[in-house]
């Protein structure tokens, strides 16, 4: 497995593979890798001939009051996991490599509408930072396919929109959410949870499953379902940002007669840890 820090080196490596007729997959991550990330790597190994994983904790997608400084960084363990899962190269750029003009002077990408609701309403600059780094990654690592998790569903939709709008030559693949046995979605931020919080955390998935069951049985009073789910989380000690029943395609609120496929999304704080999850119906 090659470890590359330089943008020219990783671009040359990908281009050489492509000249040999090989199909290249990219798995963008912020490191502290777990089985959720490995599901992306496995999908990439299955669908592509060569797989590049990027590890970069992107400062521009964290607000000043968020967890950039304490975000878990475990490069040695990450490399061992990637090697064991058949990854061919790891791109680990520095902040200077990703942002040669500095963070404030960087050219930014903004996807309107989709970026301002749900997560975007609670983390106003988050998706601009995410799009800005993902576009840079796509240019430095000109793979054929890029793999994203459904766990960050809004991120996936925004990346798809950006790729379509800018005609970026990258096919976006989505991979289902990996969960612990008790339903908690795997996340690097789960490591922040105390033992007591960890025991409570699966309620997030449970609430999604219960709202999903009600909708499947015909409930269409979506605002009431959202409100009740939030109250249930509050009673258990969560501070919910939202429980939202949305159309899968454009994340707009469905009306009672909507025939579009739906998704339920949740974001809530448990102590100092902010968790997100969703359920596709
Ligand atoms: P992150 O390192 O948190 O930025 O995540 C990198 C990629 O892994 C993103 O596409 C995430 O959606 C995906 N991912 C994170 N957690 C999971 C999970 N539990 N299951 C599937 N994909 C995940």
């Amino acid at each position: 497995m090659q470890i590359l820090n330089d943008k020219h080196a990783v671009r040359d490596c990908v281009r050489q593979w492509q000249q040999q007729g090989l199909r290249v997959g990219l798995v963008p991550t912020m490191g502290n890798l777990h089985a959720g990330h490995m599901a992306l790597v496995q999908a990439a190994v299955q669908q592509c001939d060569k797989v590049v994983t990027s590890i970069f904790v992107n400062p521009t997608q964290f607000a000043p009051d968020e967890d950039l400084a304490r975000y878990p960084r475990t490069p040695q363990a990450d490399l061992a996991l990637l090697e064991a899962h058949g990854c061919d190269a790891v791109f680990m750029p520095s902040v200077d490599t990703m942002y040669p003009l500095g963070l404030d002077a960087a050219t930014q990408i903004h996807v309107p509408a989709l970026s301002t609701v749900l997560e975007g309403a609670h983390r106003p600059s988050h998706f601009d930072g995410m799009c800005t780094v993902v576009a840079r990654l796509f240019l430095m690592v000109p793979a054929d396919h890029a793999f994203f998790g459904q766990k960050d569903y809004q991120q996936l939709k925004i990346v798809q929109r950006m790729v379509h709008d800018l005609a970026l030559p990258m096919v976006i693949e989505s991979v289902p959410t990996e969960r612990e046995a008790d339903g908690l979605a795997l996340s690097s931020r789960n490591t922040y949870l105390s033992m007591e919080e960890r025991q409570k955390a699966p309620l997030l998935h449970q609430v999604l499953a219960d709202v999903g069951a009600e909708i499947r049985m015909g409930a269409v009073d979506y605002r009431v379902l959202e409100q009740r789910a939030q109250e249930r989380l509050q009673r258990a000690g969560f501070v919910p940002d939202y429980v939202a029943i949305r159309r899968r395609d454009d994340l707009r609120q469905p009306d009672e007669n909507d025939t579009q496929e739906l998704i339920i999304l949740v974001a809530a704080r448990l102590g100092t840890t902010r968790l997100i999850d969703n359920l596709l119906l």
Side-chain angles (χ1 to χ4, degrees), residues 19-62:
Q19 277 160 12
Q20 294 164 27
L22 302 175
R23 192 163 31 177
V24 181
L26 168 65
V27 180
T29 81
M30 298 206 298
N32 189 239
L33 303 180
H34 49 63
H37 299 110
M38 289 311 114
L40 306 191
V41 172
Q42 263 159 5
V45 166
Q46 273 167 17
Q47 290 185 47
C48 301
D49 304 302
K50 295 284 180 185
V51 175
V52 182
T53 301
S54 64
I55 298 180
F56 181 66
V57 183
N58 174 35
T60 65
Q61 70 191 65
F62 289 79

Side-chain angles (χ1 to χ4, degrees), residues 39-194:
L40 306 191
V41 172
Q42 263 159 5
V45 166
Q46 273 167 17
Q47 290 185 47
C48 301
D49 304 302
K50 295 284 180 185
V51 175
V52 182
T53 301
S54 64
I55 298 180
F56 181 66
V57 183
N58 174 35
T60 65
Q61 70 191 65
F62 289 79
D65 61 343
E66 290 183 349
D67 55 343
L68 174 63
R70 74 163 175 155
Y71 196 84
R73 290 161 170 89
T74 51
Q76 294 316 319
D78 292 351
L79 293 176
L81 259 183
L82 289 172
E83 177 108 62
H85 283 79
C87 181
D88 298 284
V90 186
F91 180 45
M92 302 173 83
S94 67
V95 173
D96 280 350
T97 296
M98 292 311 288
Y99 295 103
L101 303 184
L103 300 178
D104 294 335
T107 303
Q108 289 189 25
I109 305 241
H110 173 72
V111 174
L114 268 182
S115 285
T116 54
V117 298
L118 301 167
E119 282 303 281
H122 291 272
R123 306 180 67 190
S125 57
H126 171 67
F127 287 125
D128 290 359
M130 182 279 291
C131 286
T132 297
V133 82
V134 168
R136 281 159 193 268
L137 274 174
F138 285 3
L139 293 166
M140 291 179 198
V141 189
D144 304 286
H145 297 244
F147 294 78
F148 288 83
Q150 287 168 10
K151 153 112 186 338
D152 300 276
Y153 186 82
Q154 191 174 0
Q155 165 174 287
L156 170 68
K157 289 316 262 186
I158 291 170
V159 169
Q160 284 173 337
R161 180 78 61 98
M162 173 180 77
V163 163
H164 174 67
D165 190 22
L166 299 180
L168 296 176
M170 186 74 80
V171 179
I172 304 303
E173 309 286 355
S174 74
V175 178
T177 302
E178 285 289 316
R179 299 180 179 280
E180 302 280 8
D182 60 13
L184 177 65
L186 295 182
S187 163
S188 303
R189 292 192 167 95
N190 293 350
T191 56
Y192 301 154
L193 297 170
S194 69

Side-chain angles (χ1 to χ4, degrees), residues 145-272:
H145 297 244
F147 294 78
F148 288 83
Q150 287 168 10
K151 153 112 186 338
D152 300 276
Y153 186 82
Q154 191 174 0
Q155 165 174 287
L156 170 68
K157 289 316 262 186
I158 291 170
V159 169
Q160 284 173 337
R161 180 78 61 98
M162 173 180 77
V163 163
H164 174 67
D165 190 22
L166 299 180
L168 296 176
M170 186 74 80
V171 179
I172 304 303
E173 309 286 355
S174 74
V175 178
T177 302
E178 285 289 316
R179 299 180 179 280
E180 302 280 8
D182 60 13
L184 177 65
L186 295 182
S187 163
S188 303
R189 292 192 167 95
N190 293 350
T191 56
Y192 301 154
L193 297 170
S194 69
M195 249 159 59
E196 192 190 336
E197 289 164 349
R198 175 62 190 82
Q199 280 174 354
K200 274 187 194 168
L203 183 67
L204 222 47
H205 176 59
Q206 190 57 52
V207 164
L208 290 173
D210 292 347
V211 173
E214 289 197 67
I215 294 173
R216 283 196 193 96
M217 288 190 311
V220 288
D221 42 355
Y222 299 129
R223 302 293 85 78
V224 176
L225 292 175
E226 291 171 354
Q227 187 59 36
R228 271 204 237 126
Q230 291 203 37
E231 285 165 8
R232 187 171 162 202
L233 288 170
Q234 268 160 356
R235 281 197 300 277
F238 289 78
V239 181
D241 279 344
Y242 57 82
V243 177
I245 299 162
R246 295 296 170 101
R247 290 151 45 132
R248 251 196 231 190
D249 194 39
D250 55 12
L251 296 180
R252 296 222 178 126
Q253 291 188 342
D255 61 36
E256 288 181 10
N257 307 314
D258 224 305
T259 53
Q260 298 274 327
E261 288 184 308
L262 302 180
I263 179 170
I264 316 165
L265 306 106
V266 61
R269 252 169 246 283
L270 194 51
T272 58

